[in-house]
Amino acid sequence: MADPVTRAGAVIHAVLDADTLQELAGDADSEVRAELARHPDLPPSVRDALAVDPALSVRVNIFARPDTPEHVRAQIHTSVHELSLSMADPSPDADDETVLQWYQDVAAPTELRILRLQWVTADPLPHIDSPYVSFRVSAAVSKALPADAVARLLDDEEEIVRLTMARTAPHLVDPATAENIERRYRRRDKFTFWWDYEEVLTFPSEALRRFAIDPEPRLRSFAPRDPNLPSELAEKLASDPEDRVRRAVAPHRNLPLPSLFRLLSDSSEHVAEAAGASPFLPVERMEWLLPRAGLWPP
């Protein structure tokens, strides 16, 4: 606690007697105050004082506490968004600490959004209609939600809530809801990119075959998930103008060989790699391909 290098990390383990509280609450280092804001034994008077701390990172930690009164939480949410927008850029000669604090303050609204709160997940029902995205996402992580609560979160106005709930309980997502979620999906930020790489939701064969001629490229790329996709549909998808669709169908077992061979020289490297990795590529074509890829002979 006496060493500036280790003080912030030690705060959470400190016994908060009156002298320690006074020292930590007035510490010049905002990281120390932010850690104090997380302390489970924080008295209400100090908690409320830190709720208006000049450093927004401190306010965020007060926002995330289970014992923070709702009116205080709402005030923090509003103030963080307003203050972060009104902050002037640091001057060119500002020291490193000032610049770091500026970055933390500007990022504070995002921090409010991406918080994952275990105490909310442990008792999710009171929070499924929370005005805060992070609370609804934390509730959606719970595996103990009743079906009606799951349905409400699957139809949440915020995409990250819908996707989180779908990943938590994919077995409760009916085909119509699954299609609605996928049709509404738009990759907007780095926090939802995982949805592009996980096959969370499943669809019956009839839906997948319908997707093969859908105007939406994302849904067309789902069609090859049908292991029995008719060869004529697979062939059509192999000529799709969208790379992601051609890449998805390249390793399909029902893709006619002429189409598979054509994809080996596709203009998209990712499509060509998918075709080259197809387990249905004939051995003789593999032997033809390996020297051209510089992989054989050793």
Side-chain angles (χ1 to χ4, degrees):
M1 291 286 288
D3 189 333
V5 176
T6 56
R7 184 162 60 252
V11 169
I12 200 70
H13 307 287
V15 176
L16 298 182
D17 55 40
D19 291 340
T20 303
L21 267 173
Q22 182 177 3
E23 178 185 353
L24 295 176
D27 198 290
D29 186 346
S30 64
E31 186 177 356
V32 171
R33 304 195 306 278
E35 289 302 303
L36 177 62
R38 296 176 55 239
H39 201 292
D41 299 329
L42 194 65
S45 59
V46 180
R47 177 199 65 206
D48 294 346
L50 293 177
V52 292
D53 193 274
L56 300 189
S57 55
V58 178
R59 301 190 192 196
V60 168
N61 283 352
I62 296 295
F63 174 90
R65 292 181 62 89
D67 63 344
T68 297
E70 287 307 310
H71 74 279
V72 174
R73 206 186 315 277
Q75 290 169 359
I76 292 173
H77 191 270
T78 299
S79 67
V80 164
H81 282 83
E82 290 178 349
L83 291 173
S84 66
L85 291 173
S86 63
M87 288 181 173
D89 293 350
S91 64
D93 57 347
D95 58 36
D96 290 348
E97 290 186 6
T98 300
V99 173
L100 177 60
Q101 187 62 60
W102 177 83
Y103 274 114
Q104 290 175 339
D105 288 342
V106 170
T110 300
E111 290 297 318
L112 288 178
R113 183 180 177 84
I114 66 174
L115 286 169
R116 298 299 176 260
L117 305 168
Q118 292 184 357
W119 61 272
V120 172
T121 303
D123 184 23
L125 280 178
H127 307 288
I128 61 173
D129 292 317
S130 170
Y132 312 118
V133 174
S134 58
F135 277 60
R136 301 200 305 276
V137 171
S138 297
V141 174
S142 173
K143 298 181 182 297
L145 286 167
D148 61 330
V150 170
R152 288 166 70 177
L153 293 173
L154 287 173
D155 194 40
D156 194 273
E157 63 181 2
E158 288 286 342
E159 184 157 75
I160 188 60
V161 179
R162 299 194 300 269
L163 302 186
T164 301
M165 189 71 261
R167 184 164 66 171
T168 299
H171 59 292
L172 296 180
V173 185
D174 61 78
T177 300
E179 182 171 340
N180 178 268
I181 288 172
E182 293 291 5
R183 285 193 182 279
R184 294 168 71 183
Y185 174 74
R186 295 293 181 272
R187 183 177 175 180
R188 298 183 182 88
D189 56 52
K190 63 184 179 182
F191 304 116
T192 59
F193 80 95
W194 48 266
W195 191 260
D196 270 346
Y197 302 101
E198 296 183 13
E199 292 185 12
V200 176
L201 301 175
T202 58
F203 296 92
S205 293
E206 57 268 24
L208 293 172
R209 295 181 189 188
R210 175 167 51 83
F211 290 166
I213 56 172
D214 196 275
E216 173 57 50
R218 176 175 176 80
L219 294 186
R220 293 201 303 275
S221 73
F222 293 169
R225 296 180 186 179
D226 176 9
N228 298 313
L229 186 72
S231 59
E232 59 270 21
L233 286 179
E235 187 173 24
K236 179 178 177 65
L237 294 172
S239 299
D240 196 277
E242 295 287 336
D243 294 359
R244 66 176 299 156
V245 179
R246 301 197 304 276
R247 182 182 184 183
V249 78
H252 200 280
R253 67 185 185 185
N254 289 344
L255 182 63
L257 286 180
S259 294
L260 176 57
F261 293 161
R262 187 178 69 253
L263 292 181
L264 289 171
S265 56
D266 194 271
S267 58
S268 166
E269 181 179 350
H270 294 303
V271 175
E273 287 178 350
S278 171
F280 305 105
L281 195 64
V283 172
E284 60 271 18
R285 185 52 65 110
M286 294 180 186
E287 293 175 343
W288 173 86
L289 183 63
L290 287 174
R292 287 161 176 78
L295 300 174
W296 188 84

